[in-house]
């Protein structure tokens, strides 16, 4: 991130220059307004507040938020499709929804003001990653009900960039347009960026010859191994953007390219907490737990203490007074229990990338053919690894899993390019138990 990019980010966004005390005063003011708005206009919140015996007037300090009830995905699904909105439908300018792969989708609504806020926060995120007015942005997130494509699109326009609205899929065409249109920035899932890297290599084109200088990756957890893989292959800054549709969409938090030490939460619009996933108790700064968000400026669908299920730690701000969070280590609902051992797919991914001959394309399958859990990991070899090296890499990964995680696994190393590629969020785990 150049000094010019840093200067532009802070010049355009006075909120980034706030001191902590000033920021917390703004949060308290906006939180009071949000609680009153939710209580007055959302029957679900009025019912849950009353059941807990709390009222918006009970909030006198930020810490009092812990007295209020949590919101979960189940609450949103119970209100399907539009009963969680806090404004009349005539004021709802747009709706988005989750995929609904594990039940009814969660539907979210936006007023015109909400869309403007969202666009400006994505624009802020682009500037934090080093983007500047006039740059070309290749949007590879899917368009439609998913918040990724349109969220990135409107945000890039708000940042004064030129948008290339490619959407997901058509990998060969993605690469061709990247060569022809010469974008400066790509916004896409990290797993699909790896599929694009494979396509560059298939075409015999050096990915480092592309015009890209910045990658803004989100919609799924990814670790330092994936960052290194992408940055070294393309010669770019790879930065993490965080969001979820229930809270807003992409742009809730963004990593600064200057530090790459975890996404900075835009705390003038979202108040974070870390809670114990089991008890719901609020944990101190630096403690590992579940990330919880309360929106501070949303009109159509404010969310109070929304449980994201993402596991991380809150950390002090580096570039601004706004706090950041550590890389997501997994999700409460993604944790695998294999023969009594708790393990997250992200742990397996990091160990795969620790093995020099293995590529970051893998599948995890859990079964219980008899009485015991069995773990199968299919992983691709790097293109330069000869078949004779497959057994050695398989043994190395199996040893690391046993020694560092405490689980046994059958490892199948496949030839480069044989496993299914994701064109959006990667589906890594199949549980057949």
């Amino acid at each position: 991130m150049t000094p010019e990019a840093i200067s532009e980010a802070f010049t355009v966004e006075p909120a980034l220059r706030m001191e902590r005390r000033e920021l917390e005063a703004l949060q308290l003011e906006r939180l009071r307004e949000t609680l009153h708005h939710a209580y007055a206009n959302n029957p679900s919140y009025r019912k849950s507040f009353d059941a807990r015996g709390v009222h918006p007037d009970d909030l006198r300090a930020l810490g009092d938020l812990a007295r209020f009830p949590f919101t979960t995905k189940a609450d949103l699904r119970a209100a399907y499709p539009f009963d969680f909105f806090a404004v009349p439908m005539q004021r709802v300018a747009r709706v988005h929804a989750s995929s609904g792969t594990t039940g009814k989708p969660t539907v979210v609504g936006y007023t015109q003001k909400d869309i403007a806020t969202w666009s400006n926060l994505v624009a802020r995120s682009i500037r934090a990653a080093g983007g500047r007015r006039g740059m070309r942005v290749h949007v590879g997130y899917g368009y439609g009900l998913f918040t990724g494509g349109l969220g990135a699109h409107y945000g890039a326009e708000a940042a004064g960039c030129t948008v290339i609205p490619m959407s997901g899929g058509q990998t060969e065409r993605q690469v061709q347009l990247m060569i022809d249109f010469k974008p400066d920035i790509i916004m896409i899932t990290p797993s699909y960026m790896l599929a694009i890297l494979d396509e560059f290599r298939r075409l015999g084109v050096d990915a480092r010859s592309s015009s890209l200088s910045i990658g803004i990756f989100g919609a799924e957890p990814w670790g330092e191994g994936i960052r290194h893989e992408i940055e070294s292959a393309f010669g770019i800054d790879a930065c993490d953007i965080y969001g979820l549709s229930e809270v807003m969409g992409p742009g809730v938090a963004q990593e600064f390219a200057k530090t790459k030490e975890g996404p900075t939460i835009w705390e003038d619009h979202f108040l974070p907490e870390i809670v114990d996933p089991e008890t719901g108790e609020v944990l101190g700064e630096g403690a590992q737990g579940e990330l919880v968000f309360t929106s501070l400026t949303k009109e159509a669908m404010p969310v109070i203490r929304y449980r994201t299920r993402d596991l991380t730690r809150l950390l002090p701000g580096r570039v601004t007074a706004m706090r950041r969070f550590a890389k997501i280590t997994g999700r409460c609902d993604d944790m695998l229990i294999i023969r009594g051992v708790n393990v997250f797919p992200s742990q397996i991914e990091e160990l795969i990338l620790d093995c020099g001959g293995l590529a970051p394309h893998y599948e995890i399958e859990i079964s219980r053919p008899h009485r015991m859990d069995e773990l199968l990991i299919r992983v691709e070899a790097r293109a330069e690894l000869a078949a004779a090296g497959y057994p050695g890499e398989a043994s190395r990964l199996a040893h690391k899993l046993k020694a560092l995680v405490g689980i046994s696994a059958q490892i199948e190393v496949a030839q480069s390019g044989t496993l299914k590629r994701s064109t959006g969020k990667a589906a890594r785990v199949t549980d057949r138990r």
Side-chain angles (χ1 to χ4, degrees), residues 57-296:
D57 290 339
D58 296 331
L59 186 95
R60 296 178 175 84
L62 291 175
D64 293 335
L65 183 60
R67 299 174 57 189
F68 288 78
F70 291 113
T71 306
T72 67
K73 191 180 285 282
D75 295 323
L76 304 188
R77 285 179 173 151
Y80 176 87
F82 306 134
D83 288 348
F84 216 79
F85 293 176
V87 298
M89 279 301 297
Q90 294 90 327
R91 290 192 58 204
V92 176
R94 192 196 302 168
V95 294
H96 282 282
S98 69
S99 62
T101 54
T102 56
K104 283 183 180 179
T106 55
V107 180
V108 292
Y110 305 80
T111 64
Q112 288 287 3
K113 184 179 177 182
D114 289 335
I115 290 173
T117 299
W118 182 16
S119 301
N120 289 331
L121 288 177
V122 175
R124 180 192 291 183
S125 300
I126 290 170
R127 288 189 287 266
R132 298 167 65 186
R133 180 173 295 275
M135 285 186 167
R136 300 172 195 172
V137 180
H138 180 113
V139 177
Y141 292 121
Y143 282 65
L145 287 175
F146 173 54
T147 56
L150 285 171
H153 183 121
Y154 273 60
E157 288 184 343
C161 298
T162 300
V163 179
I164 304 166
M166 180 60 206
S167 191
Q170 302 181 73
T171 308
E172 185 173 354
R173 189 160 185 249
Q174 297 262 4
V175 172
Q176 190 60 57
L177 290 186
M178 288 167 66
I179 293 169
D180 295 343
F181 289 5
K182 296 183 169 28
D184 304 281
I185 302 170
I186 188 165
M187 300 182 74
I188 201 166
T189 61
S191 59
Y192 193 36
M193 190 63 172
L194 294 173
I196 286 175
L197 173 59
D198 288 343
E199 184 64 16
F200 266 96
R201 289 170 173 165
R202 188 187 72 80
L203 295 173
V205 179
D206 182 0
R208 293 181 72 91
S209 70
S210 81
S211 57
L212 292 174
S213 60
I214 299 167
I216 301 176
F217 304 108
E220 61 190 18
W222 56 294
E224 291 303 316
I226 297 292
R227 191 204 300 274
H228 175 73
E229 181 86 10
I230 292 172
E231 288 191 332
S232 60
F234 284 91
I236 64 175
D237 282 319
C239 298
D240 195 355
I241 190 169
Y242 176 88
L244 58 169
S245 60
E246 295 85 358
V247 177
M248 184 182 73
V252 172
Q254 170 67 44
E255 200 166 35
F256 278 87
K258 177 183 177 181
T259 55
K260 296 180 189 171
E261 293 181 325
T264 293
I265 301 161
W266 303 137
E267 284 200 82
D268 50 335
H269 293 271
F270 308 100
L271 185 64
E273 301 172 273
I274 294 290
V275 305
D276 184 305
E278 299 296 328
T279 67
E281 177 189 358
V282 177
L283 304 176
E285 195 167 280
Q288 178 86 0
E290 181 184 350
L291 184 59
V292 171
F293 275 116
T294 297
S295 66
L296 299 177

Side-chain angles (χ1 to χ4, degrees), residues 367-385:
S367 61
R368 189 178 290 151
H370 305 293
R371 295 182 182 273
M372 303 291 286
D373 296 335
E374 301 290 342
L375 178 63
L376 169 63
I377 300 172
R378 299 184 186 92
V379 57
E380 278 188 16
R382 293 193 180 274
E384 62 270 20
L385 184 70

Side-chain angles (χ1 to χ4, degrees), residues 260-335:
K260 296 180 189 171
E261 293 181 325
T264 293
I265 301 161
W266 303 137
E267 284 200 82
D268 50 335
H269 293 271
F270 308 100
L271 185 64
E273 301 172 273
I274 294 290
V275 305
D276 184 305
E278 299 296 328
T279 67
E281 177 189 358
V282 177
L283 304 176
E285 195 167 280
Q288 178 86 0
E290 181 184 350
L291 184 59
V292 171
F293 275 116
T294 297
S295 66
L296 299 177
T297 56
K298 287 178 67 179
E299 293 183 329
M301 204 184 95
V303 288
I304 314 300
R305 307 195 78 202
Y306 182 75
R307 299 191 67 156
T308 68
R309 313 306 291 171
D310 289 329
L311 297 172
T312 185
R313 297 178 293 125
L314 275 183
L315 302 169
R318 291 285 197 213
V319 183
T320 79
M322 299 181 192
R323 289 171 291 178
R324 60 200 165 90
F325 58 84
K327 276 284 188 183
I328 303 292
T329 57
R331 292 174 54 85
C332 304
D333 45 6
D334 281 352
M335 185 178 73

Side-chain angles (χ1 to χ4, degrees), residues 5-27:
I6 297 170
S7 175
E8 180 171 332
F10 279 77
T11 300
V12 175
E13 294 280 0
L16 299 181
R17 301 195 298 270
M18 282 185 177
E19 296 183 356
R20 187 72 207 171
R21 182 169 56 181
E22 184 183 6
L23 176 61
E24 289 180 352
L26 177 64
Q27 288 177 326

